[in-house]
Amino acid sequence: MIVKSKQKIINLDKGNLMHFIKKNDESYNGFGEIYFSNIIKGTIKGWKKHKKMTMNLCVPRGIVKFVFFTENKKFIEEIIIGESNYIRITVPPGIWFAFQGMSNNISLVCNFSNIIHDPEEVDNLDLNEINYSW
């Protein structure tokens, strides 16, 4: 089940403070690593499906559309997040996902994962292998 968690933004004169995750959050599943992915407008990254990793995704800069499908390639939902809709998406293992940059500037995706990235634990498909109209 994908969980969407509204995140707190504290507006400050010298720049905003944007919360992401706390270890007492219900969707916190431990710490493996944090990594960032840049994406430019119109570019699509995916399809990927993690076998073990739980992802916690946010977009502190720009706007990104995430699309999710079940392991059997049935549509779950699409979620657009970014500075104007600042939420964290928690994605359990076994979910196919891809994402597209929607902002005129480069968008920044952050993943706080419960395990360290391992190329052996992720499956990949070409974009045309899941029926979705970008």
Side-chain angles (χ1 to χ4, degrees), residues 6-36:
K6 183 81 174 155
Q7 297 301 295
K8 188 174 183 179
I9 298 177
I10 300 170
N11 296 310
L12 302 169
D13 291 339
K14 295 181 181 181
N16 294 344
L17 183 135
M18 303 167 81
H19 283 247
F20 185 10
I21 195 166
K22 299 177 200 146
K23 72 179 196 174
N24 63 345
D25 286 343
E26 187 174 317
S27 56
Y28 177 81
N29 290 299
F31 174 72
E33 69 177 350
I34 297 172
Y35 59 86
F36 299 91

Side-chain angles (χ1 to χ4, degrees), residues 106-122:
I106 292 175
S107 297
L108 181 66
V109 177
C110 180
N111 180 18
F112 181 111
S113 64
N114 66 325
I115 63 171
I116 294 173
H117 184 266
D118 173 3
E120 297 297 318
E121 82 73 48
V122 64

Side-chain angles (χ1 to χ4, degrees), residues 14 21-23 34-35 44 49 57 61 72 75 87 91 118 127 130 132:
K14 295 181 181 181
I21 195 166
K22 299 177 200 146
K23 72 179 196 174
I34 297 172
Y35 59 86
I44 302 165
K49 178 184 63 150
L57 304 167
R61 288 286 175 257
N72 297 324
F75 179 75
I87 65 173
V91 185
D118 173 3
L127 282 176
I130 291 183
Y132 180 78

Side-chain angles (χ1 to χ4, degrees), residues 6-120:
K6 183 81 174 155
Q7 297 301 295
K8 188 174 183 179
I9 298 177
I10 300 170
N11 296 310
L12 302 169
D13 291 339
K14 295 181 181 181
N16 294 344
L17 183 135
M18 303 167 81
H19 283 247
F20 185 10
I21 195 166
K22 299 177 200 146
K23 72 179 196 174
N24 63 345
D25 286 343
E26 187 174 317
S27 56
Y28 177 81
N29 290 299
F31 174 72
E33 69 177 350
I34 297 172
Y35 59 86
F36 299 91
S37 180
N38 287 326
I39 187 162
I40 60 173
K41 184 175 186 175
T43 301
I44 302 165
K45 294 184 179 184
W47 297 100
K48 294 180 180 242
K49 178 184 63 150
H50 289 281
K51 300 171 192 171
K52 299 176 184 175
M53 180 186 289
T54 296
M55 299 180 297
N56 287 283
L57 304 167
C58 79
V59 177
R61 288 286 175 257
I63 303 167
V64 176
K65 174 168 62 171
F66 291 89
V67 180
F68 302 97
F69 278 76
T70 67
E71 199 159 10
N72 297 324
K73 301 180 187 170
K74 293 183 180 170
F75 179 75
I76 298 174
E77 68 180 308
E78 81 178 30
I79 305 169
I80 298 173
I81 65 172
E83 294 171 88
S84 60
N85 182 30
Y86 188 62
I87 65 173
R88 183 182 70 248
I89 304 171
T90 303
V91 185
I95 302 289
W96 287 105
F97 76 99
F99 57 100
Q100 178 181 33
M102 304 204 47
S103 180
N104 287 330
N105 297 316
I106 292 175
S107 297
L108 181 66
V109 177
C110 180
N111 180 18
F112 181 111
S113 64
N114 66 325
I115 63 171
I116 294 173
H117 184 266
D118 173 3
E120 297 297 318

